[in-house]
Amino acid sequence: QLQLVESGGGLVQPGGSLSLSCAASGLAFHYYAIAWFRQAPGKEREGVSCISSGGGSSKYVDSVKGRFTISRDNANNTVFLQMDSLKPVDTAVYYCAGAFWGTCAGELVSRHFASWGQGTQVTVSS
């Protein structure tokens, strides 16, 4: 079982940067793949990025490739999402989620992730 808490959201101007953190509790954190999802008003929840349990593999949705970077620090039970060159379309509530399968090989959809944080709001606006 994992308990996840997101932080780092806020208001940023277009072109700016923001770093999100996902802090986990649980001794088995290093066994879980961790993903970031986001949901904007009127839109479906979208898988943004995923990192494997050991941090050796990651994936991104096409719309954020080259702009977002996912990383993890298993010693401190934390996953990060560095977001650069932010656009207004990135505005959403961002969630982190854990998959006990430990890999990001599968489809990045909500049903593959059993543990979820409460979300943190990211707003990109002038």
Side-chain angles (χ1 to χ4, degrees):
Q1 295 180 330
L2 282 180
Q3 293 182 334
L4 305 173
V5 179
E6 303 93 337
S7 63
L11 175 64
V12 65
Q13 294 184 339
S17 297
L18 206 60
S19 182
L20 305 183
S21 297
C22 175
S25 62
L27 296 176
F29 173 75
H30 59 287
Y31 294 140
Y32 285 76
I34 301 294
W36 288 95
F37 289 77
R38 66 187 181 186
Q39 188 164 26
K43 297 183 179 180
E44 299 291 325
R45 184 169 295 186
E46 175 188 35
V48 177
S49 185
C50 183
I51 189 165
S52 61
S53 59
S57 180
S58 60
K59 65 194 300 183
Y60 302 88
V61 67
D62 286 345
S63 61
V64 309
K65 287 180 179 177
R67 300 190 298 119
F68 291 9
T69 303
I70 191 169
S71 62
R72 69 190 294 162
D73 180 358
N74 283 349
N76 292 294
N77 284 13
T78 305
V79 171
F80 304 95
L81 185 67
Q82 177 65 43
M83 304 184 294
D84 299 317
S85 301
L86 283 162
K87 304 174 181 179
V89 295
D90 296 318
T91 296
V93 177
Y94 283 70
Y95 302 87
C96 63
F100 51 79
W101 298 335
T103 73
C104 300
E107 188 178 7
L108 193 52
V109 296
S110 297
R111 69 177 186 271
H112 293 160
F113 295 84
S115 301
W116 291 81
Q118 83 290 345
T120 185
Q121 176 71 48
V122 172
T123 302
V124 184
S125 176
S126 298

